[in-house]
Amino acid sequence: MRSDVAWSIKTLIAVSVVVLLFHVLVLVGAVPTDIVWGGRLESARQVLLWEVFSISVNALLIWTLLQKGRYVRAVFGDRAIRTILRVFFALFLFNTVGNLFAETYFEKTLAIVTLLNAFLIWRINGKA
């Protein structure tokens, strides 16, 4: 594997672990819920559902990247991994646009992170 692809995988794993931990902090109440999900969550049940969803999606991305980088035994084939990463690429592009139009300054600044994630996935899928 090329060193720039390996670096991109490691960087995206690190960013995704931080994001996953952030959502765990939201879930346990250490981070206020009004700065996530556009400030639209109205109940503890909604917080639970959306944060578990987000944690699961981030865990899937990390697991897929670990397989792509050959850090764990691959369960998915190369084609499935590339397809999953394409879906994440699209998700991060759409999320970047959504963050640019967010109500809170915090979420607007996340557009940088989501755009970086999309770029890293493009590098990983395009060069591997």
Side-chain angles (χ1 to χ4, degrees):
M1 178 177 312
R2 294 173 44 166
S3 64
D4 59 333
V5 172
W7 180 88
S8 295
I9 290 171
K10 289 175 187 175
T11 301
L12 189 51
I13 288 171
V15 169
S16 298
V17 166
V18 170
V19 169
L20 189 142
L21 291 173
F22 173 80
H23 284 287
V24 168
L25 291 174
V26 172
L27 188 60
V28 299
V31 172
T33 58
D34 61 342
I35 67 167
V36 296
W37 302 107
R40 294 181 183 98
L41 301 181
E42 297 175 0
S43 69
R45 179 170 169 75
Q46 285 181 335
V47 171
L48 176 66
L49 290 173
W50 284 103
E51 290 305 321
V52 167
F53 171 74
S54 182
I55 290 166
S56 300
V57 168
N58 279 284
L60 174 62
L61 176 58
I62 293 166
W63 187 44
T64 303
L65 291 167
L66 288 170
Q67 291 177 70
K68 179 74 171 176
R70 310 261 192 269
Y71 300 111
V72 298
R73 185 177 62 83
V75 176
F76 301 136
D78 287 339
R79 186 174 180 178
I81 290 171
R82 290 179 62 80
T83 300
I84 291 167
L85 291 176
R86 283 186 192 116
V87 169
F88 274 104
F89 175 78
L91 177 72
F92 284 125
L93 284 181
F94 285 125
N95 199 263
T96 299
V97 173
N99 285 340
L100 289 172
F101 292 102
E103 300 267 334
T104 66
Y105 178 75
F106 176 75
E107 284 188 300
K108 286 182 184 203
T109 61
L110 291 180
I112 297 166
V113 176
T114 56
L115 188 59
L116 169 68
N117 288 355
F119 173 73
L120 290 171
I121 290 174
W122 173 79
R123 284 184 57 163
I124 292 164
N125 246 4
K127 294 187 176 183

mmCIF file of all heavy atoms in Angstrom, residues 1-10 68-71 122-124 126-128:
data_model
loop_
_atom_site.group_PDB
_atom_site.id
_atom_site.type_symbol
_atom_site.label_atom_id
_atom_site.label_comp_id
_atom_site.label_asym_id
_atom_site.label_seq_id
_atom_site.Cartn_x
_atom_site.Cartn_y
_atom_site.Cartn_z
ATOM 1 N N MET A 1 0.848 -1.179 0.000
ATOM 2 C CA MET A 1 0.000 0.000 0.000
ATOM 3 C C MET A 1 0.889 1.236 0.000
ATOM 4 O O MET A 1 1.888 1.298 0.708
ATOM 5 C CB MET A 1 -0.901 -0.019 1.232
ATOM 6 C CG MET A 1 -1.790 1.192 1.328
ATOM 7 S SD MET A 1 -2.925 1.185 2.723
ATOM 8 C CE MET A 1 -3.622 -0.423 2.637
ATOM 9 N N ARG A 2 0.505 2.201 -0.787
ATOM 10 C CA ARG A 2 1.275 3.442 -0.866
ATOM 11 C C ARG A 2 1.237 4.174 0.463
ATOM 12 O O ARG A 2 0.246 4.134 1.182
ATOM 13 C CB ARG A 2 0.716 4.320 -1.973
ATOM 14 C CG ARG A 2 0.917 3.697 -3.358
ATOM 15 C CD ARG A 2 0.233 4.466 -4.421
ATOM 16 N NE ARG A 2 0.440 5.909 -4.277
ATOM 17 C CZ ARG A 2 0.163 6.776 -5.230
ATOM 18 N NH1 ARG A 2 -0.329 6.366 -6.360
ATOM 19 N NH2 ARG A 2 0.348 8.067 -5.039
ATOM 20 N N SER A 3 2.321 4.882 0.748
ATOM 21 C CA SER A 3 2.417 5.559 2.039
ATOM 22 C C SER A 3 1.398 6.689 2.180
ATOM 23 O O SER A 3 0.896 6.927 3.284
ATOM 24 C CB SER A 3 3.829 6.086 2.266
ATOM 25 O OG SER A 3 4.144 7.074 1.305
ATOM 26 N N ASP A 4 1.063 7.382 1.083
ATOM 27 C CA ASP A 4 0.065 8.455 1.197
ATOM 28 C C ASP A 4 -1.331 7.897 1.468
ATOM 29 O O ASP A 4 -2.123 8.518 2.182
ATOM 30 C CB ASP A 4 0.080 9.371 -0.032
ATOM 31 C CG ASP A 4 -0.198 8.638 -1.333
ATOM 32 O OD1 ASP A 4 0.094 7.426 -1.416
ATOM 33 O OD2 ASP A 4 -0.690 9.275 -2.275
ATOM 34 N N VAL A 5 -1.620 6.723 0.931
ATOM 35 C CA VAL A 5 -2.908 6.088 1.208
ATOM 36 C C VAL A 5 -2.941 5.608 2.659
ATOM 37 O O VAL A 5 -3.934 5.812 3.362
ATOM 38 C CB VAL A 5 -3.179 4.921 0.230
ATOM 39 C CG1 VAL A 5 -4.424 4.146 0.633
ATOM 40 C CG2 VAL A 5 -3.311 5.443 -1.195
ATOM 41 N N ALA A 6 -1.853 5.016 3.117
ATOM 42 C CA ALA A 6 -1.777 4.557 4.508
ATOM 43 C C ALA A 6 -1.935 5.745 5.457
ATOM 44 O O ALA A 6 -2.653 5.649 6.464
ATOM 45 C CB ALA A 6 -0.461 3.831 4.759
ATOM 46 N N TRP A 7 -1.286 6.863 5.141
ATOM 47 C CA TRP A 7 -1.410 8.067 5.965
ATOM 48 C C TRP A 7 -2.853 8.556 5.976
ATOM 49 O O TRP A 7 -3.376 8.932 7.032
ATOM 50 C CB TRP A 7 -0.480 9.170 5.442
ATOM 51 C CG TRP A 7 -0.556 10.421 6.246
ATOM 52 C CD1 TRP A 7 0.178 10.736 7.355
ATOM 53 C CD2 TRP A 7 -1.443 11.532 6.027
ATOM 54 N NE1 TRP A 7 -0.196 11.968 7.835
ATOM 55 C CE2 TRP A 7 -1.189 12.485 7.038
ATOM 56 C CE3 TRP A 7 -2.418 11.816 5.083
ATOM 57 C CZ2 TRP A 7 -1.876 13.683 7.130
ATOM 58 C CZ3 TRP A 7 -3.103 13.014 5.175
ATOM 59 C CH2 TRP A 7 -2.831 13.935 6.187
ATOM 60 N N SER A 8 -3.498 8.549 4.819
ATOM 61 C CA SER A 8 -4.896 8.997 4.729
ATOM 62 C C SER A 8 -5.810 8.100 5.557
ATOM 63 O O SER A 8 -6.711 8.586 6.245
ATOM 64 C CB SER A 8 -5.362 9.013 3.268
ATOM 65 O OG SER A 8 -4.641 9.965 2.532
ATOM 66 N N ILE A 9 -5.581 6.794 5.502
ATOM 67 C CA ILE A 9 -6.387 5.857 6.290
ATOM 68 C C ILE A 9 -6.193 6.123 7.775
ATOM 69 O O ILE A 9 -7.160 6.234 8.537
ATOM 70 C CB ILE A 9 -6.044 4.395 5.928
ATOM 71 C CG1 ILE A 9 -6.549 4.066 4.524
ATOM 72 C CG2 ILE A 9 -6.632 3.425 6.952
ATOM 73 C CD1 ILE A 9 -6.085 2.723 3.981
ATOM 74 N N LYS A 10 -4.935 6.239 8.200
ATOM 75 C CA LYS A 10 -4.653 6.482 9.624
ATOM 76 C C LYS A 10 -5.241 7.815 10.091
ATOM 77 O O LYS A 10 -5.798 7.908 11.192
ATOM 78 C CB LYS A 10 -3.145 6.461 9.875
ATOM 79 C CG LYS A 10 -2.545 5.076 9.752
ATOM 80 C CD LYS A 10 -1.033 5.129 9.898
ATOM 81 C CE LYS A 10 -0.406 3.786 9.618
ATOM 82 N NZ LYS A 10 1.064 3.857 9.649
ATOM 83 N N LYS A 68 -9.633 -1.872 5.056
ATOM 84 C CA LYS A 68 -8.975 -1.316 3.865
ATOM 85 C C LYS A 68 -7.471 -1.225 4.082
ATOM 86 O O LYS A 68 -6.684 -1.524 3.181
ATOM 87 C CB LYS A 68 -9.564 0.063 3.550
ATOM 88 C CG LYS A 68 -8.958 0.746 2.351
ATOM 89 C CD LYS A 68 -9.424 0.136 1.066
ATOM 90 C CE LYS A 68 -8.972 0.967 -0.116
ATOM 91 N NZ LYS A 68 -9.341 0.351 -1.378
ATOM 92 N N GLY A 69 -7.052 -0.812 5.273
ATOM 93 C CA GLY A 69 -5.635 -0.680 5.577
ATOM 94 C C GLY A 69 -4.971 -1.988 5.964
ATOM 95 O O GLY A 69 -3.772 -2.014 6.259
ATOM 96 N N ARG A 70 -5.737 -3.050 5.974
ATOM 97 C CA ARG A 70 -5.244 -4.372 6.334
ATOM 98 C C ARG A 70 -4.736 -4.439 7.779
ATOM 99 O O ARG A 70 -3.804 -5.165 8.097
ATOM 100 C CB ARG A 70 -4.144 -4.841 5.378
ATOM 101 C CG ARG A 70 -4.487 -4.726 3.909
ATOM 102 C CD ARG A 70 -4.935 -6.043 3.320
ATOM 103 N NE ARG A 70 -5.000 -6.039 1.880
ATOM 104 C CZ ARG A 70 -6.093 -5.729 1.182
ATOM 105 N NH1 ARG A 70 -7.170 -5.329 1.793
ATOM 106 N NH2 ARG A 70 -6.102 -5.808 -0.131
ATOM 107 N N TYR A 71 -5.371 -3.632 8.658
ATOM 108 C CA TYR A 71 -5.033 -3.656 10.078
ATOM 109 C C TYR A 71 -5.801 -4.746 10.813
ATOM 110 O O TYR A 71 -5.423 -5.143 11.904
ATOM 111 C CB TYR A 71 -5.314 -2.299 10.726
ATOM 112 C CG TYR A 71 -4.504 -1.189 10.095
ATOM 113 C CD1 TYR A 71 -5.116 -0.204 9.340
ATOM 114 C CD2 TYR A 71 -3.124 -1.142 10.256
ATOM 115 C CE1 TYR A 71 -4.367 0.809 8.754
ATOM 116 C CE2 TYR A 71 -2.366 -0.141 9.667
ATOM 117 C CZ TYR A 71 -3.009 0.834 8.923
ATOM 118 O OH TYR A 71 -2.265 1.821 8.338
ATOM 119 N N TRP A 122 -11.643 10.134 -0.799
ATOM 120 C CA TRP A 122 -11.334 10.205 -2.230
ATOM 121 C C TRP A 122 -9.896 9.719 -2.487
ATOM 122 O O TRP A 122 -9.656 8.968 -3.411
ATOM 123 C CB TRP A 122 -11.533 11.648 -2.716
ATOM 124 C CG TRP A 122 -11.093 11.849 -4.120
ATOM 125 C CD1 TRP A 122 -11.769 11.515 -5.259
ATOM 126 C CD2 TRP A 122 -9.864 12.452 -4.552
ATOM 127 N NE1 TRP A 122 -11.031 11.857 -6.361
ATOM 128 C CE2 TRP A 122 -9.855 12.439 -5.953
ATOM 129 C CE3 TRP A 122 -8.770 12.990 -3.864
ATOM 130 C CZ2 TRP A 122 -8.800 12.941 -6.689
ATOM 131 C CZ3 TRP A 122 -7.726 13.488 -4.604
ATOM 132 C CH2 TRP A 122 -7.753 13.453 -5.991
ATOM 133 N N ARG A 123 -8.973 10.165 -1.649
ATOM 134 C CA ARG A 123 -7.577 9.710 -1.789
ATOM 135 C C ARG A 123 -7.451 8.213 -1.552
ATOM 136 O O ARG A 123 -6.724 7.528 -2.269
ATOM 137 C CB ARG A 123 -6.661 10.446 -0.800
ATOM 138 C CG ARG A 123 -6.353 11.855 -1.235
ATOM 139 C CD ARG A 123 -5.384 12.506 -0.317
ATOM 140 N NE ARG A 123 -4.150 11.709 -0.231
ATOM 141 C CZ ARG A 123 -3.005 12.178 0.229
ATOM 142 N NH1 ARG A 123 -2.927 13.414 0.648
ATOM 143 N NH2 ARG A 123 -1.946 11.418 0.285
ATOM 144 N N ILE A 124 -8.127 7.725 -0.537
ATOM 145 C CA ILE A 124 -8.045 6.301 -0.194
ATOM 146 C C ILE A 124 -8.624 5.451 -1.311
ATOM 147 O O ILE A 124 -8.030 4.476 -1.753
ATOM 148 C CB ILE A 124 -8.792 6.020 1.134
ATOM 149 C CG1 ILE A 124 -8.045 6.669 2.296
ATOM 150 C CG2 ILE A 124 -8.964 4.525 1.355
ATOM 151 C CD1 ILE A 124 -8.861 6.801 3.567
ATOM 152 N N GLY A 126 -9.312 6.382 -4.447
ATOM 153 C CA GLY A 126 -8.786 6.659 -5.774
ATOM 154 C C GLY A 126 -7.380 6.165 -6.012
ATOM 155 O O GLY A 126 -6.974 5.939 -7.142
ATOM 156 N N LYS A 127 -6.622 5.967 -4.943
ATOM 157 C CA LYS A 127 -5.207 5.611 -5.110
ATOM 158 C C LYS A 127 -4.861 4.210 -4.642
ATOM 159 O O LYS A 127 -3.755 3.756 -4.838
ATOM 160 C CB LYS A 127 -4.330 6.607 -4.362
ATOM 161 C CG LYS A 127 -4.388 8.001 -4.939
ATOM 162 C CD LYS A 127 -3.376 8.866 -4.270
ATOM 163 C CE LYS A 127 -3.355 10.247 -4.902
ATOM 164 N NZ LYS A 127 -2.331 11.091 -4.320
ATOM 165 N N ALA A 128 -5.781 3.543 -3.986
ATOM 166 C CA ALA A 128 -5.440 2.236 -3.431
ATOM 167 C C ALA A 128 -5.586 1.147 -4.473
ATOM 168 O O ALA A 128 -6.278 1.261 -5.435
ATOM 169 C CB ALA A 128 -6.319 1.934 -2.229
#
